Amino acid sequence: MTVIQKIFGLKREAILLDSRLFIIKAMVAISLGFVLGRFFPLTRLDMVSVLLGVMYNLDAINVSGLKGGIQQLLASALGALTTGLLVYLTGYNINFLVIALGIGFTLYIALKIDYRMVSPVAIFTSIYMTQLLQKDALGHPSVIVTFEVRILALGLGVAIALLCNFLFSILYYRNLGKRRLEFVKIQGVIGLQKTKELLLSDETMDVSYQPVLAGVFNDIEMVKANIETMMKESQIPFNQKEKQNLKIYFKMIMEVKTMIHLAYDMLYIKERYKAVIDPAALNELNEVILGLQQLDFTDLKKIPASVAEPIDPTLVPKSQSRIADDLNLLGYHYQNLIKELSTLK
């Protein structure tokens, strides 16, 4: 990689998450939002909501984009209704008390619906209804006109985002699963390398490994959710082979996730019981790391020619070392991953 590529190029992980295509999709979608938003008289009054609606709902996965778009519209309607009613009842006498009550009621209702998350769109719309009131034909401030403008502008943005999600997904859905799998592999290697480094270290274990492995788990869960959502897609013209491959990708991701669980367990054992590790005992871990590094899931022509049949761990006698048992299981799940890889069509 040249110096220029290092400075201006995206990381491989970003490329595997289709960041380049997302940038292009965002540029196309925002341009379309700008043109169509200015075309309609009402949405022209609130181009910010149109363009934010576009960007909020761009997603690599259609189902996620649709679900997010519906949530944005519901949250926006929620904020508009609660605060708009307050503004109307106070005779459009907007002061700090009206703003505070509007935000309070919006947060209360949002938490009643889902206590885990308060939509920022609901909060923005609550503020919008007090600070950006639209006027009716007679020039008077109008809650109804403001509500119409906000919902229509946001709705147009959502619709444009969903259209772009669908059109672009047709272009790259067939490679999305492979790239996500390669991304998971890279994160898995990072976690296993950190595990090897700490297992071989003579220094007293600390909890510095936890953020590293937690980050790997989060990345794996993100991709796992992506693949699960893709498996539910009905709008994209997947053929039977591609649908079957998605199931295999999912199984392989779960194998990597299990390997990281085992890595976490080994580090916990060393930390908890001050275990001393013989470097020769880590041959299995070395082989798994090397094997994963040599794989490139974006190029399925490089599938290993042969793979040992995974040995059922229940048939292997337990040793006196939990770390040794974890290492055997690590090799088993790696062999399972390769076996699944060989079934891709």
Coordinates of all heavy atoms in Angstrom, one line a residue, residues 177-259:
G177 N -22.9 -10.7 1.5 CA -22.7 -11.7 2.5 C -21.2 -12.1 2.6 O -20.7 -12.3 3.7
K178 N -20.6 -12.3 1.4 CA -19.2 -12.6 1.4 C -18.3 -11.6 2.1 O -17.4 -11.9 2.8 CB -18.7 -12.8 0.0 CG -19.4 -13.9 -0.8 CD -19.0 -13.9 -2.3 CE -19.8 -14.9 -3.1 NZ -19.4 -14.8 -4.5
R179 N -18.6 -10.3 1.8 CA -17.8 -9.2 2.3 C -18.0 -9.2 3.9 O -17.0 -8.9 4.6 CB -18.2 -7.9 1.7 CG -17.7 -7.8 0.2 CD -18.3 -6.6 -0.4 NE -17.9 -6.5 -1.8 CZ -18.5 -5.7 -2.7 NH1 -19.5 -5.0 -2.4 NH2 -18.1 -5.7 -4.0
R180 N -19.2 -9.3 4.3 CA -19.5 -9.3 5.7 C -18.8 -10.5 6.4 O -18.3 -10.3 7.5 CB -21.0 -9.4 6.0 CG -21.8 -8.2 5.5 CD -21.4 -6.9 6.3 NE -22.4 -5.9 6.1 CZ -22.4 -5.0 5.1 NH1 -21.5 -5.1 4.1 NH2 -23.3 -4.0 5.0
L181 N -18.7 -11.6 5.8 CA -18.1 -12.8 6.4 C -16.6 -12.5 6.5 O -15.9 -12.9 7.5 CB -18.3 -14.0 5.5 CG -17.9 -15.3 6.0 CD1 -18.4 -15.6 7.4 CD2 -18.2 -16.5 5.1
E182 N -16.0 -11.9 5.5 CA -14.6 -11.6 5.5 C -14.3 -10.6 6.6 O -13.3 -10.7 7.3 CB -14.1 -11.0 4.1 CG -12.7 -10.5 4.1 CD -11.7 -11.7 4.1 OE1 -12.1 -12.8 4.0 OE2 -10.5 -11.4 4.3
F183 N -15.2 -9.6 6.8 CA -15.1 -8.6 7.9 C -15.1 -9.4 9.2 O -14.2 -9.1 10.1 CB -16.2 -7.6 7.8 CG -16.3 -6.7 9.0 CD1 -15.5 -5.6 9.0 CD2 -17.2 -6.9 10.0 CE1 -15.5 -4.7 10.1 CE2 -17.2 -6.0 11.1 CZ -16.4 -4.9 11.1
V184 N -16.0 -10.3 9.4 CA -16.0 -11.1 10.7 C -14.7 -11.9 10.9 O -14.2 -11.9 12.0 CB -17.3 -12.0 10.7 CG1 -17.1 -13.1 11.8 CG2 -18.5 -11.3 10.8
K185 N -14.2 -12.4 9.8 CA -13.0 -13.2 9.9 C -11.8 -12.3 10.4 O -11.1 -12.7 11.3 CB -12.6 -13.8 8.5 CG -11.3 -14.6 8.6 CD -10.6 -14.6 7.2 CE -9.8 -13.3 7.1 NZ -9.0 -13.3 5.8
I186 N -11.7 -11.1 9.8 CA -10.7 -10.2 10.3 C -10.8 -9.8 11.7 O -9.8 -9.8 12.5 CB -10.7 -8.9 9.4 CG1 -10.3 -9.2 8.0 CG2 -9.8 -7.8 10.0 CD1 -10.5 -8.0 7.0
Q187 N -12.0 -9.6 12.2 CA -12.2 -9.3 13.6 C -11.9 -10.5 14.5 O -11.4 -10.4 15.6 CB -13.7 -8.8 13.8 CG -14.1 -7.6 13.0 CD -13.1 -6.5 13.1 OE1 -12.7 -6.0 14.2 NE2 -12.7 -6.0 11.9
G188 N -12.3 -11.7 14.0 CA -12.0 -12.9 14.7 C -10.5 -13.1 14.9 O -10.0 -13.5 15.9
V189 N -9.7 -12.8 13.8 CA -8.3 -13.0 13.9 C -7.7 -12.0 14.9 O -6.8 -12.3 15.6 CB -7.6 -12.7 12.5 CG1 -6.1 -12.6 12.6 CG2 -8.0 -13.9 11.5
I190 N -8.2 -10.8 14.9 CA -7.7 -9.8 15.9 C -7.9 -10.3 17.3 O -7.1 -10.2 18.1 CB -8.5 -8.4 15.7 CG1 -8.1 -7.8 14.3 CG2 -8.2 -7.5 16.8 CD1 -8.9 -6.5 14.0
G191 N -9.1 -10.8 17.5 CA -9.4 -11.4 18.9 C -8.5 -12.5 19.3 O -8.0 -12.6 20.4
L192 N -8.3 -13.4 18.3 CA -7.5 -14.6 18.6 C -6.0 -14.2 18.8 O -5.3 -14.8 19.6 CB -7.6 -15.6 17.5 CG -9.0 -16.3 17.4 CD1 -9.1 -17.2 16.2 CD2 -9.4 -17.0 18.7
Q193 N -5.5 -13.3 18.0 CA -4.1 -12.8 18.1 C -3.9 -12.2 19.5 O -2.9 -12.4 20.1 CB -3.8 -11.8 17.0 CG -3.6 -12.5 15.6 CD -3.3 -11.5 14.5 OE1 -3.8 -10.4 14.5 NE2 -2.5 -11.9 13.6
K194 N -4.9 -11.4 19.9 CA -4.8 -10.8 21.2 C -4.8 -11.8 22.3 O -4.1 -11.7 23.3 CB -6.0 -9.8 21.5 CG -6.0 -9.1 22.8 CD -4.8 -8.1 22.9 CE -4.9 -7.2 24.1 NZ -3.8 -6.3 24.2
T195 N -5.6 -12.9 22.1 CA -5.6 -14.0 23.1 C -4.3 -14.7 23.2 O -3.8 -14.9 24.3 CB -6.7 -15.0 22.6 OG1 -8.0 -14.3 22.6 CG2 -6.8 -16.2 23.6
K196 N -3.7 -15.0 22.0 CA -2.4 -15.6 22.0 C -1.3 -14.7 22.7 O -0.5 -15.3 23.5 CB -2.0 -15.9 20.5 CG -0.6 -16.4 20.3 CD -0.2 -16.5 18.9 CE 1.2 -16.9 18.7 NZ 1.6 -17.0 17.2
E197 N -1.3 -13.5 22.4 CA -0.4 -12.5 23.0 C -0.5 -12.6 24.5 O 0.6 -12.6 25.2 CB -0.6 -11.1 22.5 CG 0.2 -10.0 23.1 CD -0.3 -8.6 22.8 OE1 -0.9 -8.5 21.7 OE2 -0.2 -7.7 23.6
L198 N -1.7 -12.5 25.0 CA -1.9 -12.5 26.5 C -1.6 -13.9 27.1 O -1.1 -13.9 28.3 CB -3.3 -12.0 26.8 CG -3.5 -10.5 26.5 CD1 -5.0 -10.2 26.7 CD2 -2.6 -9.6 27.3
L199 N -1.9 -14.9 26.4 CA -1.6 -16.3 27.0 C -0.2 -16.5 27.1 O 0.3 -17.2 28.0 CB -2.3 -17.4 26.1 CG -3.8 -17.5 26.2 CD1 -4.3 -18.5 25.2 CD2 -4.3 -17.8 27.6
L200 N 0.6 -16.0 26.2 CA 2.1 -16.1 26.2 C 2.8 -15.1 27.1 O 4.0 -15.3 27.4 CB 2.7 -16.0 24.8 CG 2.3 -17.1 23.8 CD1 2.8 -16.8 22.4 CD2 2.8 -18.5 24.3
S201 N 2.1 -14.1 27.6 CA 2.7 -13.1 28.4 C 3.0 -13.6 29.8 O 2.2 -14.3 30.4 CB 1.8 -11.9 28.4 OG 2.3 -10.9 29.3
D202 N 4.1 -13.2 30.3 CA 4.5 -13.6 31.7 C 4.0 -12.5 32.7 O 4.1 -12.8 33.9 CB 6.0 -13.7 31.8 CG 6.5 -14.9 31.0 OD1 5.8 -15.9 30.8 OD2 7.7 -14.8 30.5
E203 N 3.5 -11.4 32.2 CA 3.1 -10.4 33.1 C 1.7 -10.7 33.7 O 1.0 -11.6 33.2 CB 3.0 -9.0 32.3 CG 4.3 -8.6 31.7 CD 4.1 -7.3 30.9 OE1 3.0 -6.8 30.9 OE2 5.1 -6.9 30.3
T204 N 1.5 -10.1 34.8 CA 0.2 -10.3 35.5 C -1.0 -9.9 34.6 O -0.9 -8.8 34.0 CB 0.1 -9.5 36.8 OG1 1.2 -9.8 37.6 CG2 -1.2 -9.8 37.5
M205 N -1.9 -10.7 34.4 CA -3.1 -10.4 33.6 C -3.9 -9.3 34.1 O -4.1 -9.1 35.3 CB -4.0 -11.7 33.5 CG -3.5 -12.8 32.6 SD -3.8 -12.4 30.8 CE -5.6 -12.5 30.8
D206 N -4.3 -8.4 33.2 CA -5.3 -7.4 33.6 C -6.5 -7.5 32.7 O -6.7 -8.5 32.0 CB -4.7 -6.0 33.5 CG -4.1 -5.7 32.1 OD1 -4.7 -6.3 31.1 OD2 -3.2 -5.0 31.9
V207 N -7.4 -6.6 32.8 CA -8.7 -6.7 32.1 C -8.6 -6.0 30.8 O -9.6 -5.7 30.2 CB -9.9 -6.2 32.9 CG1 -10.1 -7.1 34.1 CG2 -9.6 -4.8 33.4
S208 N -7.4 -5.7 30.3 CA -7.3 -4.9 29.0 C -7.8 -5.7 27.8 O -8.1 -5.1 26.8 CB -5.8 -4.5 28.8 OG -5.0 -5.7 28.6
Y209 N -7.9 -7.0 28.0 CA -8.4 -7.8 26.8 C -9.9 -7.6 26.7 O -10.4 -7.9 25.6 CB -8.0 -9.3 27.0 CG -8.7 -9.9 28.2 CD1 -10.0 -10.5 28.0 CD2 -8.1 -10.0 29.4 CE1 -10.6 -11.2 29.1 CE2 -8.8 -10.6 30.5 CZ -10.0 -11.2 30.3 OH -10.6 -11.8 31.4
Q210 N -10.6 -7.3 27.7 CA -12.0 -7.2 27.7 C -12.6 -6.3 26.6 O -13.5 -6.6 25.9 CB -12.6 -7.0 29.1 CG -12.4 -8.1 30.0 CD -13.0 -7.9 31.4 OE1 -13.7 -6.9 31.6 NE2 -12.8 -8.8 32.3
P211 N -12.1 -5.0 26.6 CA -12.6 -4.1 25.5 C -12.3 -4.6 24.1 O -13.1 -4.4 23.2 CB -11.8 -2.8 25.8 CG -11.5 -2.9 27.2 CD -11.2 -4.3 27.5
V212 N -11.1 -5.3 23.9 CA -10.8 -5.8 22.6 C -11.8 -6.9 22.2 O -12.4 -6.8 21.1 CB -9.4 -6.3 22.6 CG1 -9.1 -7.0 21.2 CG2 -8.4 -5.2 22.9
L213 N -12.0 -7.9 23.1 CA -12.9 -8.9 22.7 C -14.3 -8.5 22.7 O -15.1 -9.0 21.9 CB -12.7 -10.1 23.7 CG -11.4 -10.8 23.7 CD1 -11.4 -12.1 24.5 CD2 -11.0 -11.2 22.2
A214 N -14.7 -7.5 23.5 CA -16.1 -7.0 23.5 C -16.3 -6.3 22.2 O -17.4 -6.4 21.6 CB -16.3 -6.0 24.7
G215 N -15.3 -5.6 21.7 CA -15.4 -4.9 20.3 C -15.6 -5.9 19.2 O -16.4 -5.7 18.3
V216 N -14.9 -7.1 19.3 CA -15.0 -8.1 18.3 C -16.4 -8.7 18.4 O -17.0 -8.9 17.4 CB -13.9 -9.2 18.6 CG1 -14.2 -10.4 17.7 CG2 -12.5 -8.7 18.3
F217 N -16.9 -9.0 19.6 CA -18.3 -9.5 19.8 C -19.3 -8.6 19.1 O -20.2 -9.0 18.5 CB -18.6 -9.7 21.3 CG -18.1 -11.0 21.8 CD1 -17.3 -11.1 23.0 CD2 -18.4 -12.2 21.2 CE1 -16.9 -12.2 23.5 CE2 -18.0 -13.4 21.7 CZ -17.2 -13.4 22.9
N218 N -19.1 -7.3 19.4 CA -20.1 -6.3 18.9 C -20.1 -6.3 17.3 O -21.2 -6.2 16.7 CB -19.8 -4.9 19.4 CG -20.1 -4.7 20.8 OD1 -20.9 -5.4 21.4 ND2 -19.4 -3.8 21.5
D219 N -18.9 -6.4 16.7 CA -18.8 -6.4 15.3 C -19.5 -7.7 14.7 O -20.2 -7.6 13.7 CB -17.4 -6.3 14.8 CG -16.8 -4.9 15.0 OD1 -17.5 -3.9 15.1 OD2 -15.5 -4.8 15.1
I220 N -19.2 -8.8 15.4 CA -19.8 -10.0 14.9 C -21.3 -10.0 15.0 O -22.0 -10.4 14.1 CB -19.2 -11.2 15.7 CG1 -17.7 -11.4 15.4 CG2 -20.0 -12.5 15.4 CD1 -17.1 -12.5 16.2
E221 N -21.8 -9.5 16.2 CA -23.3 -9.4 16.3 C -23.9 -8.4 15.3 O -25.0 -8.7 14.8 CB -23.6 -8.8 17.8 CG -23.5 -9.9 18.8 CD -24.5 -11.0 18.6 OE1 -25.6 -10.8 18.3 OE2 -24.1 -12.2 18.8
M222 N -23.2 -7.4 14.9 CA -23.7 -6.5 13.9 C -23.9 -7.2 12.6 O -24.9 -7.1 11.9 CB -22.8 -5.3 13.7 CG -23.2 -4.3 12.6 SD -21.9 -3.1 12.2 CE -20.6 -4.2 11.5
V223 N -22.9 -7.9 12.2 CA -22.9 -8.7 10.9 C -23.9 -9.8 11.0 O -24.7 -10.1 10.0 CB -21.5 -9.2 10.5 CG1 -21.6 -10.1 9.3 CG2 -20.6 -8.0 10.3
K224 N -24.0 -10.5 12.1 CA -25.0 -11.6 12.3 C -26.4 -11.0 12.1 O -27.2 -11.7 11.5 CB -24.8 -12.1 13.7 CG -25.8 -13.2 14.1 CD -25.5 -13.7 15.5 CE -26.6 -14.5 16.1 NZ -27.7 -13.7 16.7
A225 N -26.7 -9.8 12.7 CA -28.0 -9.2 12.5 C -28.2 -8.9 11.1 O -29.4 -9.0 10.5 CB -28.1 -8.0 13.4
N226 N -27.2 -8.4 10.4 CA -27.3 -8.1 8.9 C -27.7 -9.3 8.1 O -28.6 -9.3 7.3 CB -26.0 -7.5 8.4 CG -25.8 -6.1 8.7 OD1 -24.7 -5.5 8.4 ND2 -26.7 -5.4 9.3
I227 N -27.0 -10.4 8.4 CA -27.3 -11.7 7.6 C -28.7 -12.2 8.0 O -29.4 -12.6 7.1 CB -26.2 -12.7 8.0 CG1 -24.8 -12.2 7.5 CG2 -26.5 -14.0 7.2 CD1 -24.6 -12.0 6.0
E228 N -29.0 -12.1 9.2 CA -30.4 -12.6 9.6 C -31.5 -11.8 8.9 O -32.5 -12.3 8.4 CB -30.6 -12.4 11.1 CG -29.9 -13.5 11.9 CD -30.1 -13.3 13.4 OE1 -29.9 -12.2 13.9 OE2 -30.4 -14.3 14.1
T229 N -31.2 -10.5 8.8 CA -32.2 -9.6 8.1 C -32.2 -9.9 6.6 O -33.3 -9.9 6.0 CB -31.8 -8.1 8.3 OG1 -31.7 -7.9 9.7 CG2 -32.9 -7.2 7.7
M230 N -31.1 -10.1 6.0 CA -31.0 -10.5 4.6 C -31.8 -11.8 4.3 O -32.5 -11.9 3.3 CB -29.6 -10.6 4.1 CG -28.8 -9.3 4.0 SD -27.1 -9.6 3.6 CE -27.2 -10.4 2.0
M231 N -31.7 -12.7 5.3 CA -32.4 -14.0 5.1 C -34.0 -13.8 5.1 O -34.7 -14.6 4.6 CB -32.0 -15.0 6.2 CG -30.6 -15.4 6.1 SD -29.9 -16.2 7.6 CE -30.9 -17.7 7.7
K232 N -34.4 -12.7 5.6 CA -35.9 -12.4 5.7 C -36.3 -11.6 4.5 O -37.5 -11.3 4.3 CB -36.2 -11.6 7.0 CG -35.9 -12.4 8.2 CD -36.1 -11.5 9.5 CE -35.7 -12.2 10.7 NZ -35.9 -11.3 11.9
E233 N -35.4 -11.1 3.7 CA -35.7 -10.2 2.6 C -36.6 -11.0 1.5 O -36.2 -12.1 1.1 CB -34.4 -9.7 1.9 CG -33.7 -8.7 2.7 CD -34.3 -7.3 2.6 OE1 -35.4 -7.2 2.2 OE2 -33.6 -6.3 2.9
S234 N -37.6 -10.3 1.1 CA -38.5 -10.9 0.1 C -38.5 -10.1 -1.2 O -38.9 -10.5 -2.2 CB -39.9 -11.1 0.6 OG -40.4 -9.8 1.0
Q235 N -38.0 -8.8 -1.0 CA -38.1 -7.9 -2.2 C -37.0 -8.1 -3.2 O -37.1 -7.8 -4.3 CB -38.1 -6.4 -1.7 CG -39.2 -6.1 -0.8 CD -38.6 -6.1 0.7 OE1 -37.8 -6.9 1.0 NE2 -39.2 -5.2 1.5
I236 N -35.8 -8.7 -2.7 CA -34.7 -8.9 -3.5 C -34.7 -10.2 -4.3 O -35.0 -11.2 -3.7 CB -33.4 -8.8 -2.7 CG1 -33.3 -7.4 -2.0 CG2 -32.1 -8.9 -3.6 CD1 -33.4 -6.2 -2.9
P237 N -34.5 -10.2 -5.6 CA -34.6 -11.4 -6.3 C -33.4 -12.4 -6.1 O -32.6 -12.7 -7.0 CB -34.6 -10.9 -7.8 CG -33.7 -9.7 -7.7 CD -34.1 -9.0 -6.4
F238 N -33.4 -13.0 -4.9 CA -32.4 -14.1 -4.6 C -32.9 -15.3 -5.3 O -34.1 -15.7 -5.3 CB -32.4 -14.4 -3.1 CG -31.6 -13.4 -2.3 CD1 -32.0 -12.8 -1.1 CD2 -30.3 -13.0 -2.7 CE1 -31.3 -12.0 -0.4 CE2 -29.5 -12.1 -2.0 CZ -30.0 -11.6 -0.8
N239 N -31.9 -16.1 -5.9 CA -32.3 -17.4 -6.3 C -32.1 -18.4 -5.2 O -31.6 -18.0 -4.1 CB -31.5 -17.8 -7.6 CG -30.0 -17.8 -7.3 OD1 -29.5 -18.1 -6.3 ND2 -29.2 -17.3 -8.4
Q240 N -32.4 -19.6 -5.4 CA -32.4 -20.6 -4.3 C -30.9 -20.8 -3.8 O -30.7 -21.0 -2.6 CB -33.0 -21.9 -4.8 CG -33.3 -22.9 -3.7 CD -34.3 -22.3 -2.7 OE1 -35.2 -21.6 -3.0 NE2 -34.1 -22.6 -1.4
K241 N -30.0 -20.8 -4.7 CA -28.6 -21.0 -4.3 C -28.1 -19.9 -3.4 O -27.5 -20.1 -2.4 CB -27.7 -21.0 -5.6 CG -26.2 -21.2 -5.3 CD -25.4 -21.1 -6.6 CE -25.2 -19.6 -6.9 NZ -24.2 -19.4 -8.0
E242 N -28.5 -18.6 -3.7 CA -28.0 -17.5 -2.9 C -28.7 -17.5 -1.5 O -28.1 -17.2 -0.5 CB -28.3 -16.2 -3.6 CG -27.4 -16.0 -4.8 CD -28.0 -15.0 -5.8 OE1 -29.2 -14.6 -5.7 OE2 -27.3 -14.5 -6.7
K243 N -30.0 -18.0 -1.5 CA -30.6 -18.1 -0.2 C -30.0 -19.1 0.7 O -29.8 -19.0 1.9 CB -32.1 -18.4 -0.4 CG -32.9 -17.3 -1.0 CD -34.4 -17.7 -1.2 CE -35.2 -16.6 -1.8 NZ -36.6 -17.0 -2.0
Q244 N -29.6 -20.2 0.1 CA -28.9 -21.3 0.8 C -27.5 -20.8 1.3 O -27.1 -21.2 2.4 CB -28.7 -22.5 -0.1 CG -28.1 -23.8 0.6 CD -29.0 -24.2 1.8 OE1 -30.2 -24.2 1.7 NE2 -28.3 -24.7 2.8
N245 N -26.8 -20.1 0.4 CA -25.5 -19.6 0.8 C -25.6 -18.6 2.1 O -24.7 -18.6 2.9 CB -24.8 -18.8 -0.3 CG -24.2 -19.8 -1.3 OD1 -24.1 -21.0 -1.1 ND2 -23.9 -19.3 -2.5
L246 N -26.7 -17.9 2.1 CA -26.8 -17.0 3.3 C -26.9 -17.8 4.6 O -26.4 -17.4 5.6 CB -28.1 -16.1 3.1 CG -28.0 -14.9 2.2 CD1 -29.4 -14.3 2.1 CD2 -27.0 -13.9 2.7
K247 N -27.6 -18.9 4.5 CA -27.7 -19.8 5.7 C -26.3 -20.3 6.1 O -26.0 -20.4 7.3 CB -28.6 -20.9 5.5 CG -30.1 -20.5 5.2 CD -30.9 -21.7 4.9 CE -32.4 -21.3 4.6 NZ -33.2 -22.5 4.3
I248 N -25.5 -20.6 5.1 CA -24.1 -21.1 5.4 C -23.2 -20.0 5.9 O -22.5 -20.2 6.9 CB -23.5 -21.7 4.1 CG1 -24.3 -22.9 3.6 CG2 -22.0 -22.1 4.3 CD1 -23.9 -23.4 2.2
Y249 N -23.4 -18.8 5.4 CA -22.6 -17.6 5.9 C -23.0 -17.5 7.4 O -22.1 -17.2 8.2 CB -23.0 -16.3 5.2 CG -22.6 -16.3 3.7 CD1 -23.4 -15.5 2.8 CD2 -21.5 -16.9 3.3 CE1 -23.0 -15.5 1.5 CE2 -21.2 -16.9 1.9 CZ -21.9 -16.2 1.0 OH -21.6 -16.1 -0.3
F250 N -24.3 -17.6 7.7 CA -24.7 -17.4 9.1 C -24.0 -18.5 10.0 O -23.6 -18.1 11.1 CB -26.2 -17.5 9.2 CG -26.8 -17.3 10.6 CD1 -27.0 -16.0 11.0 CD2 -27.1 -18.4 11.4 CE1 -27.5 -15.8 12.3 CE2 -27.6 -18.2 12.6 CZ -27.8 -16.9 13.1
K251 N -24.0 -19.7 9.6 CA -23.4 -20.8 10.4 C -21.9 -20.5 10.6 O -21.4 -20.7 11.7 CB -23.6 -22.1 9.7 CG -25.0 -22.6 9.7 CD -25.1 -24.0 8.9 CE -26.5 -24.5 8.8 NZ -26.6 -25.8 8.1
M252 N -21.2 -20.0 9.5 CA -19.8 -19.7 9.7 C -19.5 -18.6 10.6 O -18.6 -18.6 11.4 CB -19.2 -19.4 8.3 CG -19.3 -20.6 7.3 SD -19.0 -20.2 5.6 CE -17.3 -19.8 5.7
I253 N -20.4 -17.6 10.6 CA -20.3 -16.4 11.5 C -20.4 -16.9 13.0 O -19.7 -16.5 13.9 CB -21.3 -15.3 11.2 CG1 -20.9 -14.6 9.9 CG2 -21.4 -14.3 12.3 CD1 -22.0 -13.7 9.4
M254 N -21.4 -17.9 13.2 CA -21.6 -18.4 14.5 C -20.3 -19.2 15.0 O -20.0 -19.2 16.2 CB -22.8 -19.3 14.5 CG -24.1 -18.5 14.3 SD -24.3 -17.2 15.5 CE -24.4 -18.1 17.1
E255 N -19.7 -19.9 14.0 CA -18.4 -20.6 14.4 C -17.4 -19.6 14.9 O -16.7 -19.9 15.8 CB -17.9 -21.4 13.2 CG -18.9 -22.5 12.7 CD -19.0 -23.6 13.7 OE1 -18.3 -23.7 14.7 OE2 -19.9 -24.5 13.5
V256 N -17.2 -18.5 14.2 CA -16.2 -17.5 14.6 C -16.6 -16.9 15.9 O -15.7 -16.7 16.8 CB -16.1 -16.4 13.5 CG1 -15.1 -15.3 14.0 CG2 -15.6 -16.9 12.2
K257 N -17.9 -16.7 16.1 CA -18.3 -16.1 17.4 C -18.0 -17.1 18.6 O -17.6 -16.7 19.6 CB -19.8 -15.9 17.4 CG -20.4 -15.3 18.7 CD -21.9 -15.1 18.6 CE -22.5 -14.5 19.9 NZ -23.9 -14.3 19.8
T258 N -18.2 -18.4 18.3 CA -17.9 -19.4 19.3 C -16.4 -19.5 19.6 O -16.0 -19.6 20.8 CB -18.4 -20.8 18.8 OG1 -19.8 -20.8 18.6 CG2 -18.1 -21.9 19.9
M259 N -15.6 -19.3 18.6 CA -14.1 -19.3 18.8 C -13.7 -18.1 19.7 O -12.9 -18.3 20.6 CB -13.4 -19.1 17.5 CG -13.4 -20.3 16.6 SD -12.4 -20.1 15.1 CE -13.4 -20.7 13.8

